[in-house]
Structures are given as C-alpha cells and as structure tokens.
C-alpha cells in the first residue's frame, strides 16, 4: 500500500465505515497522535460537543469485524484448523494482500505496518531488556513465531497455492510479513464471542491505552456456536428438540463437530456487507436507520469527556512487561508493574520449597490472599454501564454483555486445533518460559477451551511453577506480594514449626496468618508490636524472612544488563535521549521502573531489619522447642473449619 497522508487515511476510513454501517459518534475526533506513531481518538475542543457517560459512541456490526469466520478464506482456515490469534494474523495478511479488492481495505489501510514489538528488535537492542520482566514473560523470544510460521503456515500456504502463490511466500506471506502481522494483531485483537473468538474491530482499536479509561468495549458473548447468531437460531431449535428426547449430551457434541457444515463457514462473509444508504449524509437519520437487532460490538463512554482530551480505553492494569511486549510502549512509574523473584526464591532444593510448590495455591486461597487476582476486573472507572461497582463486577454483572472490555489478553489460539511436527519441543519451551497469566499474547495457551459452550467453572488446575512465577513478586512501589511473604515465612520458621504443620495443618495455617498480620502491622508503621515480649519468637522468624528477602532481591538485581546503574541514573539517561529514540526510551523505562521497585524494597527491608534486630536482641531468645510448644498452645484457641491442604507425609 502506498503511504498516504494521515488525514487522507482517516477520510478513507470514515467513508468505509459509512459504507459498512458502522456507527460512530459525530463528536469524536480522530487525528495523528502528538507523541506516538499512529492515531488517537479525542474529544471535541468545543465545550458544547462533549459526550456524556453511558453514551454509545461506536457500533460495529459483527459482519464488519475481521476474523477467521468472516474472512474470504474462512473455509480454508476451518479445514486447516487454524484459529485464535494465528487465524487472525493469517486473515489480516490475506485481506491486506488483496489491496483495494478486500472488503476491509478501508480499515486495513489505516493500520501500521507493525507494532514495535521487542521480539522483532535486533539482538543488541534486546540486550537492553536483559533480566527484565519483558524477558521473563518471553517477550524477547521469537522462536514461537518462527515455529508457527514454519510448522503451521508454510504447509498451509503450500496446500492452498491457488490462494497463496509460491511467489507470494517471499512477499505478502513471508516470515517477515507474518511476524509484523502478529505484532499488529496481537496488539489490536478483541475477544468477541464464543463463535468468532478473536477479531480486529475497526475503529475500536484506535483508542489508546490509559490507566483511566473513558470507554468500555461490550458485545454479546452468548451466541450460537455454529452460526454465531445472537438470539434464537435453527441450531438452537434443533437442540431443543433433542433435549426433549433427553439427548442433551449427544447434541452438545454434534453442535461442536458439525461446525464445518454450517453455511456461514463456507467462505463468504456471514452476511454481505451492506451498502451505503441514500440518506447516509444525515448523521441522525443514519443512526436511526441502524438496525437495532443486528448484533454489534459497542463502545460506550463511561466517563464524560473534557474538551480536547484524548479518549482512552484501558487494556487492563498491565505492567510494562506486557505493555512493551504486546503494544510496543512502556509507562514511566507504571503502578501496575511488578518484579518476579520466583527464580531466586526457588533456586535451592529442599522439602519446604517442595511443600510450598505443592500447596501454594491452596494455602494462599485459604489465607484469602488471591481475591484480587481472581476477580480480575481492575483498572476500570467505577461508573460501569451495568451499574455495578467494578470491583465486584465479576459476580454481579449483567449477563447481557461480555464485560471484558479490555483488549484480548490471555487467549492465544487453541492449541488443540493445529499440529506442530515438534509439538513436544514446543510444549517444553512453553513451560520453561512459564509465562505469566498476563504474559504477552503470542504464546500458545494450551489450556484454553474455546469450544466450551457452557460457561463451566474451570477446574482449578494450577501449574505450580507458573503460579510461582506469577505470584512471587514485588509490586510497585516496593511491596512484596502476600504469597511471597508466605514463602519467606515457610523458609524461616523453625523445623519444629514446620513439623507441627504435618500433624496440625489448620493450626499451622492460623499461625502463618498471624505472622502475616504482624508483618503488615510492622509495614504499616505500627511498631508497638515490636515492644511485646511474647511476640519475640515470631519477630525472629520475621527477621530471618526479611533477611532472605534482601538476599533474593540483591540476586534479582544482578540479573539486569548493567547491574551497576541505578534507577535514578537511568532516569537521567532517559531524559537525555533524543526524542526519536523511542525504542531505547521504552526499554530503559522498563529497566528503570523495575530497578526502582527493587531499590525501594531494599531500603524498606533495611529499615525494618534494623528495628527488628533491636527489638529481638533486648531479651534472650526462646529456644525452638519452647516456640513450638507456645505455637501449639496458641493453636488450640484458633481451631476453625477452614479447608487446609495436607502437609507432606500426611
Ligand atoms: Zn445457529
Ligand atoms: Zn471498565
Ligand atoms: Zn460491569
Ligand atoms: Zn501452535
């Protein structure tokens, strides 16, 4: 595609959206971004043209989104079982290769050639990010991209030479083009519904990320698995009949396996994209003319706009690791950042480590340390359209809409679908990476079951290593996560206490909970606890825990490319970088923020250790045997009905 003037690109998009009956609020302003490459959506400068909350500002018919089932090669992809992010990348490449002949050309022409994913950086630039969380989540490793191109796409292209001529494998469908395509779609795809899975949603992807969002992305998730229809369709009618005959289970299987016979999968877009109505020049008429029954992807304003400000979507409370790996940018002082010290914490073998790995998730759950992770709806303004407070949205939210307005985060392609020749190699590579839950989006997600037609509660199958990677963190600005504190305590308790856990796991958990409470009191500056003589055995445990933390943090710090440069020094370097050095600025911003977290942790740990040592040295310490007796005695007062995982050997 020839490079066009940005305003011309916007004009082409606008005209294309009119033709395809995509409603966009007339008061929105799209223009080139003043700081980054690409575009942004802004509020009007005019005070009179601000948009109130609850206003729907964008309605994209699902026939106009770009995904495997809507594309011109839907049947080929279905046959080859290529779906998920990989499928979106292929249809993006295919439609792009058609140029102006593609029904999506007016949209595709505004997309960038690629996002600045560190996976695509040369080796010397990747070196800037050595030791960072970007590396930890696999954000520098392009081997999975290469494998998918070589193992899945090349055979697919060769199988379908009439669509992908051999010559095009060096141009439109080359590895280079694919890698760039992955960077574009991984940063823009939205999760739509159980039929369409992931898709590019024209215009919805122009909103940039802000921690404080203005818009929600919403759509109906509960559609027919076979034809994608929202509401009643022939397949549901068929199922009802069978259910009456008590053949529910049978029909469920058929509904999934019959997908290939569905007419909507036979190649053409589900519905022909509709033509511009005659009266489309009048915005209001145009909106009225919009078919309210058509299933759409919507964006709704959740916070009233102010004149001229940029209108943000939030991609979620994402740390710089994911922001840079997937979206190609990083934020100074990103409050969602955290540094994992799982590798340091799990470096040595031992029965306590083994026990923790086996029981960590259950223990943390019992102690109530996981709530935040599991609700997962952070980063939202509180004025959700659904009327619920956002923090507990997960449980109370209106079923009508899929509330996950964030861009796709966790769904890679379903790995069950296509084959790799070296499947096993890839599996083990995935495990080594041990990606975070919010890891960058190119990895395979073998656990995802897109075909689940019922929203079954996932049976909790937690990979201990993955859980460790995910939860043994120090969070911005310098807070060790609760699971990390638990592990530190497990390492520090006397052997007698650890033994106690074998015979009385409930009591041991209560003790752990109390130790955590003391730590939080110390952390909150309630130092009175240090004066209580009876707490001294516990303070000794906590002292050792903090000493271990200090060691782990220092080791973690050593992993960076240049362990001698502090965060403050990095900030000076960043400020002196020329404006066009975006890539280096992003990389150093990641490093600086992570180092700041570790440095802050060392500072507060030192302060706490000084206090703790002073307090514990005053009187003679109790012997471990006394401690165990005391803990056992205390335990008797704290019996409760909590479910507790067994200690080893029990
Ligand atoms: Zn159907
Ligand atoms: Zn929200
Ligand atoms: Zn909600
Ligand atoms: Zn794969």
């Amino acid at each position: 595609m020839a490079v066009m003037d940005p305003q011309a690109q916007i004009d082409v998009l606008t005209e294309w959206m009119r033709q395809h009956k995509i409603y966009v609020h007339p008061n929105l302003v799209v223009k080139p971004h003043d700081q980054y490459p690409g575009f942004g959506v802004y509020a009007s400068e005019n005070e009179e043209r601000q948009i109130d909350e609850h206003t729907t500002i964008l309605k994209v018919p699902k026939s106009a989104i770009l995904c495997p089932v809507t594309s011109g090669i839907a049947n080929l992809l279905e046959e080859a079982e290529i779906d998920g992010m990989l499928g979106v990348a292929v249809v993006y490449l295919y439609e792009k290769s058609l140029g102006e002949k593609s029904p999506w050309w007016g949209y595709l022409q505004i997309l960038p050639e690629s996002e600045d994913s560190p996976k695509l950086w040369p080796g010397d630039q990747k070196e800037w990010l050595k030791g960072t969380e970007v590396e930890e989540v696999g954000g520098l490793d392009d081997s999975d991209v290469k494998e998918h191109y070589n193992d899945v796409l090349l055979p697919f292209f060769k199988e379908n030479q009439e669509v992908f001529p051999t010559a095009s494998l060096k141009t439109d469908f080359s590895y280079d083009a694919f890698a760039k395509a992955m960077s574009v779609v991984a940063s823009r795809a939205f999760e739509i519904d159980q039929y369409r899975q992931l898709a590019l949603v024209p215009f919805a992807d122009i909103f940039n990320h802000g921690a404080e969002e203005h818009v929600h992305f919403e759509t109906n998730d509960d559609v027919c698995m076979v034809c994608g229809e929202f509401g009643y369709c022939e397949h549901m009618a068929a199922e009802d009949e069978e259910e009456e005959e008590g053949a529910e289970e049978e029909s469920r299987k058929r509904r999934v396996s019959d997908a290939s016979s569905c007419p909507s999968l036979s190649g053409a877009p589900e519905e022909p994209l509709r033509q511009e109505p005659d009266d489309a020049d009048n915005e209001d008429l145009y909106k009225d003319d919009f078919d309210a029954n058509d299933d759409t992807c919507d964006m709704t304003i959740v916070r009233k706009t102010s004149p001229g400000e940029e209108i943000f979507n939030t991609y979620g409370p994402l740390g710089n690791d994911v922001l840079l790996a997937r979206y190609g940018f990083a934020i100074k002082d990103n409050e969602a950042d955290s540094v994992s010290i799982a590798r340091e914490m799990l470096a040595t073998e031992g029965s306590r480590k083994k026990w923790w790995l086996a029981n960590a998730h259950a223990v943390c759950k019992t102690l109530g340390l996981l709530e935040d992770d599991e609700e997962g709806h952070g980063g939202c303004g509180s004025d959700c359209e659904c009327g619920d407070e956002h923090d507990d949205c997960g449980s109370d939210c209106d079923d009508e809409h899929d509330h996950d307005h964030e861009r796709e985060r966790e769904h890679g392609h379903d790995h069950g679908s296509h084959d790799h020749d070296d499947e096993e190699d890839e599996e083990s590579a995935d495990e080594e990476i041990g990606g975070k839950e919010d890891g960058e989006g190119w990895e395979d997600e073998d656990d995802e079951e897109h075909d689940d037609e019922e929203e079954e509660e996932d049976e909790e199958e937690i990979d201990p290593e993955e859980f460790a990677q995910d939860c043994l963190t120090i969070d911005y600005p310098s807070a060790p996560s609760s699971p990390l504190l638990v592990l530190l305590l497990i390492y520090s308790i006397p052997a007698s206490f650890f033994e106690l856990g074998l015979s009385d796991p409930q009591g041991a958990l209560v003790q752990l909970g109390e130790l955590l409470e003391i730590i939080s009191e110390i952390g909150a500056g309630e130092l009175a606890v240090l004066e209580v003589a009876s707490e001294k055995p516990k303070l000794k445990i906590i002292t050792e825990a903090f000493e271990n933390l200090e060691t782990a943090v220092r080791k973690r710090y050593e992993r960076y490319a240049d362990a001698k440069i502090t965060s403050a020094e990095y900030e000076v370097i960043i400020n002196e970088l020329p404006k066009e050095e975006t890539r280096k600025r992003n990389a150093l911003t990641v490093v600086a923020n992570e180092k700041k977290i570790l440095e802050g942790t060392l500072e507060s740990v030192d302060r706490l250790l000084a206090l703790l040592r002073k307090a514990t040295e005053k009187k003679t310490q109790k012997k471990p045997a006394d401690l165990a007796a005391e803990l056992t005695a205390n335990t008797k007062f704290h019996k409760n009905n909590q479910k507790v995982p067994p200690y080893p050997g029990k």
Side-chain angles (χ1 to χ4, degrees):
M1 282 175 222
V3 180
M4 285 195 289
D5 160 56
Q7 190 52 51
Q9 286 179 291
I10 294 167
D11 293 343
V12 169
L13 176 71
T14 309
E15 178 56 24
W16 178 83
M17 287 176 42
R18 271 160 39 96
Q19 284 174 12
H20 294 90
K21 302 212 82 178
I22 295 171
Y23 168 74
V24 60
H25 196 284
N27 293 4
L28 294 177
V29 178
V30 180
K31 59 183 183 186
H33 203 277
D34 49 4
Q35 287 166 47
Y36 325 110
F39 298 88
V41 184
Y42 296 81
S44 165
E45 300 279 357
N46 184 340
E47 182 74 53
E48 304 297 308
R49 288 171 69 86
Q50 298 312 304
I51 305 174
D52 283 320
E53 57 187 305
H54 305 312
T55 308
T56 298
I57 55 169
L58 179 70
K59 283 176 102 62
V60 184
K62 284 188 178 171
S63 53
I65 67 176
L66 178 54
C67 59
V69 294
T70 61
S71 84
I73 50 170
N75 54 338
L76 300 183
L77 292 168
E78 170 72 12
E79 206 169 288
E81 299 184 326
I82 293 175
D83 58 10
M85 198 66 86
L86 191 59
V88 179
V90 175
V91 299
Y92 165 81
L93 281 178
Y94 171 72
E95 297 294 341
K96 205 172 157 218
S97 76
L98 298 180
E100 297 197 26
K101 284 185 204 140
S102 167
W104 282 276
W105 181 77
Y107 160 59
L108 294 173
Q109 56 85 30
I110 203 169
L111 298 182
E113 276 298 302
S114 70
E115 293 294 343
D116 197 19
S117 164
K119 278 189 193 198
L120 310 180
W121 295 3
D124 57 327
Q125 298 186 350
K126 284 183 180 176
E127 190 64 18
W128 294 330
L129 291 164
K130 186 173 161 262
T132 63
E133 294 300 300
V134 178
E135 185 182 45
E136 283 292 292
V137 300
L140 301 182
D141 181 7
D142 65 350
S143 58
D144 57 335
V145 188
K146 283 208 174 88
E147 274 165 21
H148 280 94
Y149 185 76
N150 291 327
D151 300 352
V152 183
L153 293 192
L154 273 184
F156 170 71
F157 292 153
K158 285 172 182 161
E159 183 89 351
N160 299 285
Q161 283 188 26
E162 68 287 1
V163 182
F164 309 100
T166 309
S168 72
L169 301 188
K170 292 206 165 89
T171 55
D172 291 343
F173 302 101
S174 65
Y175 170 71
D176 189 48
F178 168 64
K180 286 178 175 169
M182 280 302 280
S183 78
V184 170
V185 302
S187 65
R188 313 181 93 80
F190 286 85
E191 203 174 308
I192 307 299
D193 57 39
Q194 41 187 350
Y195 172 65
R196 293 164 187 88
Q197 304 180 8
L198 297 172
L200 298 177
V201 183
F203 201 94
D205 55 5
I206 304 178
F207 295 91
N208 289 305
H209 169 77
E212 285 196 32
E213 66 177 350
H214 287 89
V215 292
H216 269 185
F217 179 80
E218 286 169 354
T219 189
N220 298 304
D221 170 56
D222 191 18
V223 300
C224 174
M225 290 288 294
V226 183
C227 69
E229 184 79 24
F230 175 64
Y232 210 68
C233 71
E234 53 178 311
H235 307 99
M236 291 181 186
E239 190 186 52
D240 281 353
E241 277 168 32
E242 291 188 36
E243 268 173 25
E244 278 162 28
E245 292 159 26
E248 186 181 355
E249 207 47 47
E250 183 60 27
S251 113
R252 200 169 280 160
K253 275 181 211 143
R254 187 173 312 163
R255 229 165 95 183
V256 176
S257 62
D258 270 5
S260 55
S261 67
C262 185
S264 67
L265 290 176
S266 60
E270 197 176 332
E271 292 172 44
L273 296 166
R274 284 170 299 178
Q275 295 305 303
E276 178 181 5
D278 294 333
D279 55 4
D281 283 337
N282 183 316
E283 283 289 351
D284 286 325
L285 268 181
Y286 187 44
K287 190 184 176 187
D288 290 344
D289 187 52
F290 190 86
D291 181 359
N293 293 321
D294 201 352
D295 196 12
T296 55
C297 298
D298 298 351
M299 281 196 133
T300 303
I301 286 276
V302 294
R303 191 157 57 86
K304 191 184 172 176
T305 61
S306 308
E309 71 175 341
E310 180 167 6
I311 299 176
F312 292 111
N313 185 16
T314 181
Y315 306 166
L318 300 178
N320 281 339
D321 50 353
V322 179
L323 287 181
L324 186 61
R326 193 179 312 157
Y327 305 108
F329 67 92
I331 299 171
K332 186 177 187 289
D333 294 322
N334 184 344
E335 294 183 16
D337 253 3
S338 65
V339 181
S340 170
I341 57 169
R343 243 197 269 178
E344 284 71 19
M345 290 301 298
L346 302 175
T348 46
E349 288 304 323
S351 58
R352 297 183 189 206
K353 169 189 155 185
K354 266 191 202 139
W355 182 86
W356 188 84
L357 278 177
N359 297 292
H361 189 261
V363 168
C364 292
K365 211 174 169 186
T366 308
L367 290 171
L369 307 179
L370 297 179
E371 278 155 85
D372 290 350
D373 291 344
E374 294 187 347
E375 294 301 333
H377 199 85
C380 256
S382 55
D383 290 332
C384 175
E385 198 198 19
C386 67
D388 297 321
E389 282 292 309
H390 248 101
D391 288 338
D392 56 356
C393 197
S395 50
D396 296 330
C397 210
D398 185 355
D399 278 344
E400 284 297 305
H401 61 263
D402 170 10
H403 199 76
D404 238 344
H405 45 75
E406 294 153 10
R407 290 198 194 183
E408 196 280 332
R409 286 202 287 164
E410 288 166 40
H411 288 241
H413 61 275
D414 184 336
H415 211 200
S417 308
H418 61 260
D419 291 325
H420 291 265
D421 293 336
D422 52 352
E423 194 69 42
E424 284 190 1
D425 291 350
E426 188 186 271
E427 296 310 313
S428 56
D430 281 354
E431 274 166 33
E432 263 170 51
I433 294 167
K436 289 186 169 184
E437 193 175 288
D438 286 345
E440 53 73 47
W442 295 9
E443 281 169 42
D444 295 327
E445 300 279 348
D446 301 282
D447 299 334
E448 294 296 347
E449 277 287 342
H450 291 301
D451 293 341
D452 273 356
E453 52 183 286
E454 281 183 302
E455 296 239 343
E456 287 169 42
E457 284 293 322
D458 274 12
E459 290 244 328
E460 278 188 67
E461 272 184 42
I462 308 290
D463 176 347
E465 303 280 348
E466 234 170 75
F467 180 69
Q469 179 73 25
D470 202 22
C471 77
L472 296 179
T473 58
I474 301 176
D475 305 325
Y476 185 93
S478 60
S481 70
S482 302
L484 172 58
L485 290 174
V486 170
L487 178 57
L488 286 163
L489 289 171
I490 298 280
Y491 281 166
S492 309
I493 51 177
S496 51
F497 185 176
F498 190 67
E499 303 283 307
L500 165 72
L502 300 174
S503 57
D504 181 12
Q506 279 196 3
L509 270 190
V510 172
Q511 295 296 332
L512 271 181
E514 285 182 2
L515 287 167
L516 281 177
E517 209 166 290
I518 294 176
I519 290 179
S520 77
E521 280 170 13
I522 299 173
E526 292 169 30
L527 299 175
V529 69
L530 295 175
E531 302 300 322
V532 183
S534 67
E535 300 288 18
K536 279 183 184 157
K538 290 177 185 164
L539 295 189
K540 189 164 180 296
I541 296 172
I542 294 171
T543 304
E544 197 180 322
F546 279 135
E547 284 166 353
N548 289 340
L549 175 60
E550 187 176 17
T551 310
V553 171
R554 287 194 192 286
K555 279 191 191 146
R556 177 69 185 84
Y557 204 92
E558 290 297 315
R559 273 207 262 145
Y560 290 98
D562 196 335
K564 290 195 186 75
I565 304 181
T566 65
S567 66
E569 288 164 338
Y570 268 118
E571 274 167 21
V572 174
I573 298 173
I574 291 167
N575 286 334
E576 286 169 358
L577 282 175
K579 189 172 183 274
E580 64 275 14
E581 294 239 33
T582 325
R583 198 174 272 186
K584 189 165 190 179
R585 178 176 303 105
N586 281 329
L588 298 191
T589 299
V590 170
V591 180
N593 210 39
E594 289 185 17
K595 285 196 164 183
K596 196 186 254 183
I597 290 171
L598 296 177
E599 290 158 8
T601 307
L602 286 178
E603 248 173 61
S604 35
V605 165
D606 278 350
R607 210 169 42 238
L608 292 175
L609 278 177
L611 281 170
L612 282 162
R613 283 184 189 126
K614 225 168 141 190
T616 36
E617 277 161 12
K618 273 185 189 167
K619 285 183 185 169
T620 47
Q621 292 147 6
K622 296 193 180 177
K623 291 177 199 131
D626 299 339
L627 176 67
E630 184 187 311
L631 293 173
T632 314
N634 283 345
T635 301
K636 297 212 169 75
F637 298 103
H638 293 289
K639 290 277 186 200
N640 59 27
N641 296 323
Q642 283 174 320
K643 237 173 136 191
V644 165
Y647 270 48
K650 208 190 169 188

